[in-house]
Amino acid sequence: MVWSPSFDPGLLFSIDYFKIIQTNVVDASAQFIVNQNAYHGLYDDRVERDNNGNIAKVLATFINIGEREVSGLDMTLKYQWQQLNSNFIATLNASHLRTFYDQIDPSTASSNLAGTFIDSASEGNGALPALKLNSGIHWSQGNIEASYTINYISSLEEVIPLTNNAMRRIHSWITHDIQVSYITQYLNGFRFTLGADNLWDQAPPYAASSLNDNFDARTYDLKGRFWYARVSQTF
């Protein structure tokens, strides 16, 4: 649904609901096959053991091993106005992951993983934050433009391996970006830009169950405050 009222053409609101159902999800995981064989006696034809019960070979080809159901909302709110010879644009983009049911094997119960973190090395789907958003304001006047953006990722629950399903919270993460540009009247719009990502140098939240790092590199950025300059020319 998109709404842009005639009484205020500067306002735009859109919302999108999605629900995706997948059956016979294809995957290849030696660890999954070994776990299912050890705990539930499944996949005997894919796990070869010696006389002492030790694993000699695992056949981990692609198989259809589960179902998945994902639902959520994507929302955009934008408002544009002019004041004191300046143009302003305020935006809010949000994505809400309502459900993420993942049933790896038909013999196991599915569970809602939205808002959780399970490292891919532990046969998980990584970070699945329930809410991600960015909000900002863009200002322009004459040859000068500036923008300020806030990025937010909600907190997560993680299961610590080998601790009887002990849970801990991965804190939410907020970063701020800023950018300023100057556009000359020469050379058909020569633009010079200065900016900074993660202006306040906010470190990514600690994840105790992450295998290779102490944070989830697929969701967060370790580089910290990052200054940059850019020159561009339109021909």
Side-chain angles (χ1 to χ4, degrees):
M1 181 183 72
V2 178
W3 181 52
S4 181
S6 58
F7 62 83
D8 194 342
L11 177 63
L12 175 67
F13 173 77
S14 68
I15 187 169
D16 175 61
Y17 171 76
F18 61 89
K19 184 175 183 179
I20 303 169
I21 299 175
Q22 296 174 287
T23 58
N24 297 321
V25 176
V26 178
D27 201 356
S29 171
Q31 189 62 56
F32 167 78
I33 292 174
V34 170
N35 290 347
Q36 294 298 308
N37 179 258
Y39 294 118
H40 306 291
L42 303 175
Y43 301 113
D44 285 335
D45 59 330
R46 294 177 176 270
V47 180
E48 181 180 321
R49 299 178 182 271
D50 59 23
N51 294 332
N52 296 321
N54 298 316
I55 295 176
K57 183 191 299 183
V58 177
L59 180 62
T61 57
F62 284 104
I63 52 178
N64 301 99
I65 55 176
E67 297 182 357
R68 184 175 297 142
E69 179 180 318
V70 183
S71 67
L73 293 168
D74 290 329
M75 184 190 73
T76 297
L77 179 63
K78 178 181 178 181
Y79 188 64
Q80 181 174 351
W81 75 98
Q82 292 184 342
Q83 186 176 1
L84 300 176
N85 297 322
S86 296
N87 186 59
F88 296 87
I89 302 175
T91 58
L92 172 65
N93 300 292
S95 179
H96 170 51
L97 183 62
R98 182 173 174 268
T99 59
F100 192 104
Y101 288 103
D102 197 23
Q103 187 180 27
I104 297 179
D105 179 74
S107 65
T108 62
S110 61
S111 57
N112 184 12
L113 300 179
T116 68
F117 169 74
I118 303 176
D119 194 272
S120 57
S122 302
E123 305 302 326
N125 294 281
L128 299 170
L131 180 63
K132 297 176 68 175
L133 62 85
N134 66 75
S135 178
I137 187 167
H138 179 272
W139 167 83
S140 62
Q141 185 181 71
N143 297 340
I144 303 176
E145 297 180 359
S147 62
Y148 188 85
T149 306
I150 301 174
N151 309 288
Y152 172 80
I153 299 176
S154 61
S155 61
L156 299 163
E157 297 287 340
E158 68 170 331
V159 178
I160 309 302
L162 305 177
T163 56
N164 296 323
N165 293 327
M167 302 287 289
R168 71 174 295 273
R169 179 175 293 275
I170 298 176
H171 296 298
S172 59
W173 197 50
I174 301 177
T175 60
H176 304 254
D177 304 332
I178 190 170
Q179 185 181 95
V180 179
S181 296
Y182 178 73
I183 306 97
T184 71
Q185 298 177 351
Y186 309 100
L187 299 175
N188 196 26
F190 181 81
R191 177 187 292 261
F192 180 69
T193 301
L194 288 174
D197 293 340
N198 195 358
L199 182 63
W200 307 118
D201 200 24
Q202 183 66 36
Y206 172 68
S209 61
S210 183
L211 178 64
N212 295 320
D213 305 288
N214 59 3
F215 73 105
D216 178 27
R218 299 173 182 84
T219 306
Y220 311 98
D221 197 338
L222 186 62
K223 67 185 180 185
R225 183 189 298 113
F226 179 79
W227 295 93
Y228 62 89
R230 182 169 62 241
V231 176
S232 59
Q233 171 66 56
T234 302
F235 294 97

